[in-house]
Amino acid sequence: EISCPELDAAVETAVEAGAVGARMTGGGFGGSSVALVPEDRVDAVARAIDLRFVRDGATPPAHLRVEPAVGATAQRLG
């Protein structure tokens, strides 16, 4: 109920183009989507999303590529 058509299209298209999974994050004013994509499919997934947006009459989104890293750990201070 807090998504928007563009965000739904990004998630749906990412999965169709080879993402392992994708979902909305944030919300309220559309939020963002996060997709887990095998490295060899990253460019194809981004291209597919861009083409979908253009086909739907929307401006293609910005894509931020990040790589997973080891999570935070607790350290005792002092």
Side-chain angles (χ1 to χ4, degrees):
E1 295 178 12
I2 60 171
S3 189
C4 64
E6 294 86 358
L7 188 53
D8 294 340
V11 169
E12 178 182 298
T13 304
V15 173
E16 290 172 355
V20 176
R23 64 170 292 156
M24 180 199 75
T25 184
F29 295 100
S32 298
S33 66
V34 174
L36 300 175
V37 183
E39 191 169 344
D40 64 332
R41 299 290 307 153
V42 170
D43 291 335
V45 169
R47 252 189 328 273
I49 293 169
D50 289 347
L51 290 172
R52 168 78 181 267
F53 271 57
V54 169
R55 188 188 79 209
D56 291 353
T59 302
H63 302 278
L64 303 175
R65 182 178 178 163
V66 297
E67 295 187 25
V70 175
T73 59
Q75 290 184 341
R76 188 177 198 127
L77 301 176

